[in-house]
């Protein structure tokens, strides 16, 4: 159900039937023998999510991208974050750390391949605890916490999987991902590296 506001304001919350299962956990996957089937389920779910038509959807209200369907807008939002880093973060770092961080940013921003993707509807916070898993059936039971969803790079939905479960698991999910994916893990590594800047 969705809360119906009285004053015409947007709904403040939604509710849904409790999803039975627990968060994604490497040990539980191994013990239950469900790693392959759960990776497949997540890959299929991300394929469906990233294939949703964008018509009528608006980006997340906190987005810095005025037109997330525009790749130049996507690049500009990261240029702005880089400028923020240069002004507010880099002066607090050691010289060696600053040099490494600048190199990470420049390598990403100057490589046009990092902006060669079609923006899709993304969860944007797909961490292990948000992937509810039914270990007995060996499948994905549901995905929760959609508070950060919006329009952006498909790679964003592989960041939390790689961080929480390891890149090998993220690559297994990617094996079952049916959308164009060239360079997706390379971009996911960058997005993971810059999480603290957000």
């Amino acid at each position: 159900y969705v809360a119906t506001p009285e004053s015409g304001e947007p709904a403040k919350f939604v509710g849904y039937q409790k999803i039975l299962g627990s968060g994604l956990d490497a040990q539980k996957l191994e013990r239950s023998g469900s790693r392959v089937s759960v990776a497949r389920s997540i890959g299929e779910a991300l394929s469906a999510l990233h294939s949703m038509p964008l018509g009528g959807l608006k980006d997340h209200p906190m987005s810095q991208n005025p037109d997330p369907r525009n790749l130049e807008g996507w690049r500009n939002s990261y240029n702005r974050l880089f400028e923020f880093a240069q002004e507010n973060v880099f002066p607090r770092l050691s010289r060696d750390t600053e040099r490494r961080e600048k190199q990470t940013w420049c390598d990403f921003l100057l490589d046009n391949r990092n902006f060669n993707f079609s923006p899709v509807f993304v969860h944007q916070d797909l961490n292990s605890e948000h992937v509810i898993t039914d270990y007995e059936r060996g499948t994905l039971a549901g995905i929760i916490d959609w508070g950060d969803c919006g329009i952006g790079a498909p790679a964003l939905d592989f960041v939390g999987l790689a961080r929480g479960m390891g890149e090998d698991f993220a690559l297994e999910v990617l094996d079952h991902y049916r959308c164009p994916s060239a360079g997706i893990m390379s971009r996911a590594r960058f997005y993971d590296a810059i999480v603290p800047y957000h």
Side-chain angles (χ1 to χ4, degrees):
Y1 57 87
V2 178
T4 304
E6 295 180 8
S7 63
E9 294 293 319
K12 302 299 183 193
F13 66 90
V14 298
Y16 49 85
Q17 191 172 16
K18 182 176 180 178
I19 299 171
L20 299 177
S22 59
L24 195 56
D25 180 274
Q27 291 180 339
K28 289 180 181 177
L29 279 181
E30 294 304 324
R31 281 199 305 265
S32 65
S34 59
R35 181 179 174 116
V36 172
S37 60
V38 169
R40 181 186 313 109
S41 293
I42 296 169
E44 291 169 352
L46 287 177
S47 298
L49 178 66
H50 295 173
S51 298
M52 285 179 53
L54 299 182
L57 292 178
K58 294 181 180 177
D59 197 26
H60 191 278
M62 298 297 287
S63 173
Q64 301 274 328
N65 186 353
D67 185 356
R69 294 165 180 83
N70 179 315
L71 292 179
E72 201 54 39
W74 186 254
R75 185 195 302 261
N76 288 340
S77 68
Y78 281 90
N79 278 323
R80 286 192 301 274
L81 190 55
F82 182 43
E83 290 169 7
F84 168 85
Q86 290 175 304
E87 293 172 16
N88 299 286
V89 180
F90 292 173
R92 301 167 194 263
L93 303 177
S94 70
R95 190 172 293 165
D96 285 344
T97 303
E98 178 182 2
R99 180 184 48 77
R100 284 194 308 271
E101 289 296 297
K102 278 186 179 176
Q103 192 64 54
T104 297
W105 279 92
C106 290
D107 287 348
F108 180 81
L109 292 171
L110 296 175
D111 187 344
N112 288 330
R113 291 174 297 181
N114 291 321
F115 302 95
N116 184 22
F117 63 88
S118 296
V120 298
F121 187 65
V122 286
H123 182 282
Q124 287 195 109
D125 192 20
L126 200 61
N127 297 316
S128 301
E129 63 270 20
H130 298 156
V131 180
I132 306 303
T133 308
D134 183 335
Y135 292 99
E136 290 183 14
R137 293 183 178 170
T139 189
L140 173 68
I143 296 174
I144 63 170
D145 197 346
W146 292 84
D148 293 319
C149 66
I151 299 167
L156 290 170
D157 282 342
F158 288 86
V159 173
L161 290 173
R163 178 177 276 205
M165 297 295 294
E167 191 167 311
D168 285 347
F169 183 78
L171 289 170
E172 289 175 45
V173 171
L174 194 56
D175 284 341
H176 303 283
Y177 181 67
R178 296 186 304 269
C179 304
S181 57
I184 201 166
M185 284 310 299
S186 174
R187 289 192 292 276
R189 286 184 208 105
F190 171 77
Y191 297 139
D192 183 47
I194 66 158
V195 164
Y197 291 95
H198 291 285

